[in-house]
């Protein structure tokens, strides 16, 4: 899950690789498979990471728009 924590860095050299991994996870519905295999902690960690990144990106965007 550490790979996804860098998603907020859109200018980084590994951003495209992270997006490709996310695309693969979505394509094969990996979250559903992980839940079927009772990998609840892994799914929880994954979504916690995604929401943390989304929150960070939201705050950066908000600050740019508002001019803070």
């Amino acid at each position: 899950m550490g790979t996804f924590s860098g998603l907020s860095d859109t200018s980084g050299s590994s951003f495209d690789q992270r997006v490709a991994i996310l695309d693969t996870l979505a394509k094969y519905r990996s979250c559903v498979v992980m839940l079927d295999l009772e990998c609840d902690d892994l799914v929880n960690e994954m979504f916690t990471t995604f929401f943390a990144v989304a929150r960070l990106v939201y705050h950066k965007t908000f600050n740019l728009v508002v001019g803070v």
Side-chain angles (χ1 to χ4, degrees):
M1 291 301 106
T3 300
F4 301 123
S5 61
L7 280 171
S8 60
D9 182 17
T10 57
S11 62
S13 60
S14 59
F15 179 75
D16 291 336
Q17 292 171 337
R18 290 180 173 123
V19 171
I21 292 169
L22 277 177
D23 185 47
T24 301
L25 287 172
K27 188 182 300 179
Y28 296 108
R29 300 175 188 226
S30 299
C31 291
V32 175
V33 173
M34 287 189 282
L35 288 171
D36 285 345
L37 295 174
E38 298 181 6
C39 299
D40 299 339
D41 292 338
L42 185 59
V43 172
N44 187 26
E45 181 182 350
M46 184 172 67
F47 278 98
T48 300
T49 301
F50 292 158
F51 288 133
V53 169
R55 186 179 317 114
L56 179 64
V57 171
Y58 170 78
H59 285 297
K60 285 181 183 177
T61 305
F62 181 79
N63 290 339
L64 286 174
V65 170
V66 175
V68 175

